Amino acid sequence: MAMDAAAVKENEAKLAKVLDVYEARLGQSKYLGCDCFTLADLHHIPTLTNLMGTPLKELFETRPKVSAWVADIMARPAWAKVLAMGNRQ
C-alpha cells in the first residue's frame, strides 16, 4: 500500500504530542500503565511494528524513554512468535 504523504504530514505533529506525553509518563514507570507490562502496552505493538519501518521512526528515537519502551515491548518473546508465524504463511 502506498503511503499518503499528506496524511502523514498532517498527523505527524499529533503523534509528536502524544509521544511527549508518553515520554513524561515513562519517566514515572517502566510501562505506560505501571511497572508491569499491560494491555496499555500490548495494543501498541502491531502499530509500532509498522511505524518503525517508516521515517516516523525518528519521532520515537528522539525520545529516550519512549525509545527504550518501544525496544522493550517489541522484543517480547510472544511477539517474536507472532511475527514468525506470519513469515511462515
Side-chain angles (χ1 to χ4, degrees), residues 28-40:
Q28 300 170 7
S29 61
K30 182 174 180 178
Y31 298 103
L32 288 179
C34 59
D35 283 327
C36 299
F37 182 79
T38 68
L39 212 56

Side-chain angles (χ1 to χ4, degrees), residues 19-77:
L19 294 178
D20 287 342
V21 171
Y22 282 20
E23 184 73 9
R25 177 65 189 124
L26 292 165
Q28 300 170 7
S29 61
K30 182 174 180 178
Y31 298 103
L32 288 179
C34 59
D35 283 327
C36 299
F37 182 79
T38 68
L39 212 56
D41 307 291
L42 176 65
H43 95 276
H44 286 79
I45 296 176
T47 302
L48 288 170
T49 299
N50 291 327
L51 288 174
M52 292 302 105
T54 72
L56 294 175
K57 180 179 182 178
E58 182 180 341
L59 292 175
F60 295 85
E61 292 176 336
T62 58
R63 293 163 175 84
K65 291 173 182 59
V66 170
S67 182
W69 169 73
V70 169
D72 183 347
I73 67 173
M74 300 260 310
R76 296 188 68 82

